[in-house]
Amino acid sequence: MKLFGKEEVNTGRQMFIDLAKVIAIVFMVADHTWMYGGTELHDTWGLILDGVLGGPLAAPVFMTCMGIGVTYSHRSDAKSMMQRGLRLLMAGYILNLIRFLGSATASLCKDKVINLSDIAWQLTLVDILPFAGMAFLLLALLRYLKASTITTVLVGLVMSVIGSFVRQVNTGCLAVDILLSPIIGVSTETVYSSFPLANWFIFVALGIAAGKMIRCSVNLDILFAWLTPFSAVIFLGLSIWMIKEEIGLYSGNEDYFYHMTTFDSLGVCLPAILLMLGFCHFGGKLLQGSSAELVRRTSVDLNRIYLIHWVIIVWIVYLILYSILGWQLSSPMRFLISLVILLISTWLARHKPFSDIKL
């Protein structure tokens, strides 16, 4: 049974990759709405959403698809990737500023004092966009050095191992912590790395390797027929055990997710990613016509949707609904609000001035 050939056969746009990215953004929007809706994440729905759907099945999937996208991009030379990396970095820190202004306004409405720690923490937060910017800058360097796919994966693996041990860093110097935070897992009262390059670049590297394999796969149906159930057993089995034992990225300590170890990345998240891709491969076959175009267009607009949804969550959900009006939202209401935010963000991403944002 031959699964791969020497010639590239899957060179067109892959619906299942678009669908995986769309599902990931749905989970992220729901999780972020939950987080900023003034609700603890310790009830059943919160734990499922934040720990599983918004955890291994969200950001790791998104970043792996980003790597796959590099193999399909017509602008994957070193210069283009460097330029994109700088744009993503800039967008990430502008988003930090916008979120800080919303959170600061909410604090003032509740007569809270805004101190230097709050300002530094929110302005320097290494979220997905700053990580993506750093990842593209590293890819630009690797492309400039003509690094092979195997070398790129090895770089990601070495960085992951280093990140497994060098995490939750606090040097005691604000400037040093800020400089280190995009690269390693810094965790202090003033600086925090949600997605440090060392811990998360492995997903981009694996995505590039996966993209190369997908392009040469002569039968994706058989490939995913094998991978999907196998990945499901590993992911679900390990997740249930780790949740029960409260270890690793399921320990309840957010640092252990954001600064995850190589075991968490390869043992838990990689099977989750393969499960998602397999589900989307077979599920995507059911999408035709307008539904397929909706998924494709949403995937294209994903970065803009990500930017917009955060602005709505911080300024509308957190500032107005929670901080000013004091609304206590039920679980169904939070899910409904997250859906509305997703729809509004998707619509706005297609219209000016937001459609002019190029990331």
Side-chain angles (χ1 to χ4, degrees), residues 297 300-309 345 348-350 353-359:
R297 180 61 188 274
V300 171
D301 295 334
L302 206 63
N303 286 334
R304 290 189 289 272
I305 293 171
Y306 187 84
L307 282 170
I308 296 166
H309 99 275
S345 301
L348 289 174
R350 299 185 180 187
F354 302 103
S355 60
D356 291 330
I357 299 174
K358 305 300 180 184
L359 297 176

Side-chain angles (χ1 to χ4, degrees), residues 139-154:
L139 287 175
L141 175 61
L142 292 171
R143 185 58 53 90
Y144 177 77
L145 296 174
K146 295 180 170 54
S148 66
T149 300
I150 293 176
T151 300
T152 301
V153 172
L154 288 175

Side-chain angles (χ1 to χ4, degrees), residues 190-207:
T190 53
V191 182
Y192 192 74
S193 311
S194 290
F195 298 99
L197 188 68
N199 302 78
W200 288 82
F201 183 72
I202 183 65
F203 296 115
V204 180
L206 289 173

